[in-house]
Coordinates of all heavy atoms in Angstrom, one line a residue:
R834 N 33.1 27.5 8.8 CA 32.8 26.1 8.8 C 31.4 25.9 9.4 O 30.6 25.1 8.9 CB 33.8 25.3 9.4 CG 35.2 25.2 8.7 CD 36.2 24.4 9.5 NE 36.3 23.0 9.0 CZ 35.8 22.0 9.7 NH1 35.4 22.2 10.9 NH2 35.9 20.8 9.2
L838 N 28.2 24.5 7.4 CA 27.5 23.3 7.7 C 26.1 23.5 8.2 O 25.2 22.7 7.9 CB 28.3 22.6 8.8 CG 27.9 21.2 9.2 CD1 27.9 20.3 7.9 CD2 28.7 20.6 10.2
F841 N 24.1 23.8 5.0 CA 24.0 22.4 4.5 C 22.9 21.7 5.2 O 22.0 21.1 4.5 CB 25.3 21.8 4.6 CG 25.3 20.4 4.0 CD1 25.6 20.1 2.6 CD2 25.0 19.2 4.8 CE1 25.6 18.9 2.1 CE2 25.0 18.0 4.3 CZ 25.3 17.8 2.9
D842 N 22.9 21.7 6.5 CA 21.9 20.9 7.2 C 20.5 21.5 7.1 O 19.5 20.8 7.0 CB 22.3 20.9 8.7 CG 23.5 20.0 9.0 OD1 23.8 19.1 8.1 OD2 24.1 20.2 10.0
Y894 N 29.4 27.4 -3.8 CA 29.8 26.0 -3.4 C 28.8 25.5 -2.3 O 28.2 24.5 -2.5 CB 31.2 26.0 -2.9 CG 31.5 24.6 -2.3 CD1 31.7 23.4 -3.1 CD2 31.5 24.4 -0.9 CE1 31.9 22.2 -2.5 CE2 31.7 23.2 -0.3 CZ 31.9 22.1 -1.1 OH 32.1 20.9 -0.5
R916 N 19.9 5.1 0.3 CA 21.2 5.7 -0.1 C 22.3 4.7 -0.3 O 23.1 4.7 -1.2 CB 21.5 6.9 0.8 CG 22.9 7.5 0.5 CD 23.2 8.6 1.6 NE 24.5 9.2 1.3 CZ 25.6 8.7 1.6 NH1 25.7 7.6 2.2 NH2 26.8 9.4 1.3
E947 N 31.6 4.5 0.4 CA 31.7 4.7 1.8 C 31.6 6.1 2.3 O 31.6 6.3 3.5 CB 33.0 4.1 2.3 CG 33.1 2.6 1.9 CD 34.5 2.0 2.3 OE1 35.4 2.9 2.6 OE2 34.7 0.8 2.2
H948 N 31.6 7.1 1.4 CA 31.7 8.5 1.9 C 30.5 9.0 2.6 O 29.4 8.5 2.4 CB 32.0 9.3 0.6 CG 30.7 9.8 -0.1 ND1 30.0 9.1 -1.0 CD2 30.1 11.0 0.0 CE1 29.1 9.7 -1.4 NE2 29.0 10.9 -0.9
D949 N 30.8 9.9 3.5 CA 29.7 10.7 4.3 C 29.5 12.0 3.6 O 30.4 12.7 3.4 CB 30.1 10.8 5.7 CG 29.1 11.5 6.5 OD1 29.1 12.8 6.5 OD2 28.2 10.9 7.1
D950 N 28.2 12.3 3.3 CA 27.9 13.6 2.5 C 28.4 14.8 3.3 O 29.0 15.8 2.7 CB 26.4 13.7 2.2 CG 26.0 12.6 1.2 OD1 26.8 12.3 0.3 OD2 24.9 12.2 1.3
R951 N 28.1 14.8 4.6 CA 28.5 16.0 5.4 C 29.9 16.1 5.5 O 30.5 17.3 5.4 CB 27.8 16.0 6.8 CG 26.3 16.1 6.8 CD 25.7 15.9 8.1 NE 25.7 17.1 8.9 CZ 26.4 17.3 10.0 NH1 27.3 16.4 10.4 NH2 26.3 18.5 10.6
E952 N 30.7 15.0 5.7 CA 32.1 15.1 5.8 C 32.8 15.6 4.5 O 33.7 16.3 4.5 CB 32.7 13.8 6.3 CG 32.3 13.4 7.7 CD 32.9 12.0 8.1 OE1 33.5 11.4 7.2 OE2 32.6 11.6 9.3
Q953 N 32.2 15.0 3.4 CA 32.8 15.5 2.1 C 32.5 16.9 1.8 O 33.3 17.7 1.3 CB 32.2 14.6 1.0 CG 32.8 14.9 -0.4 CD 32.2 14.1 -1.5 OE1 31.0 14.0 -1.6 NE2 33.1 13.4 -2.3
F954 N 31.3 17.4 2.2 CA 31.0 18.8 2.1 C 31.9 19.7 2.9 O 32.5 20.7 2.4 CB 29.5 19.0 2.6 CG 29.2 20.5 2.7 CD1 28.9 21.2 1.6 CD2 29.1 21.1 3.9 CE1 28.5 22.6 1.7 CE2 28.8 22.4 4.1 CZ 28.5 23.2 2.9
L955 N 32.2 19.3 4.1 CA 33.1 20.1 5.0 C 34.6 20.0 4.4 O 35.3 21.0 4.5 CB 33.1 19.6 6.4 CG 32.1 20.3 7.3 CD1 32.2 19.7 8.7 CD2 32.3 21.8 7.4
A956 N 34.9 18.9 3.9 CA 36.2 18.8 3.2 C 36.4 19.8 2.1 O 37.4 20.5 1.9 CB 36.5 17.4 2.7
G957 N 35.3 20.0 1.3 CA 35.2 21.0 0.2 C 35.4 22.4 0.8 O 36.1 23.2 0.2
V958 N 34.7 22.7 1.9 CA 34.8 24.0 2.5 C 36.3 24.2 2.9 O 36.8 25.3 2.7 CB 33.9 24.1 3.7 CG1 34.1 25.4 4.5 CG2 32.4 24.1 3.3
D959 N 36.9 23.2 3.5 CA 38.3 23.3 4.0 C 39.2 23.6 2.8 O 40.2 24.4 2.9 CB 38.8 22.1 4.7 CG 38.1 22.0 6.1 OD1 37.7 23.1 6.6 OD2 38.0 20.9 6.7

Side-chain angles (χ1 to χ4, degrees):
R834 296 177 89 249
L838 190 58
F841 180 88
D842 288 339
Y894 169 76
R916 176 184 179 277
E947 300 173 352
H948 86 280
D949 178 274
D950 293 326
R951 292 174 87 249
E952 289 180 1
Q953 187 181 49
F954 170 77
L955 270 180
V958 173
D959 288 338

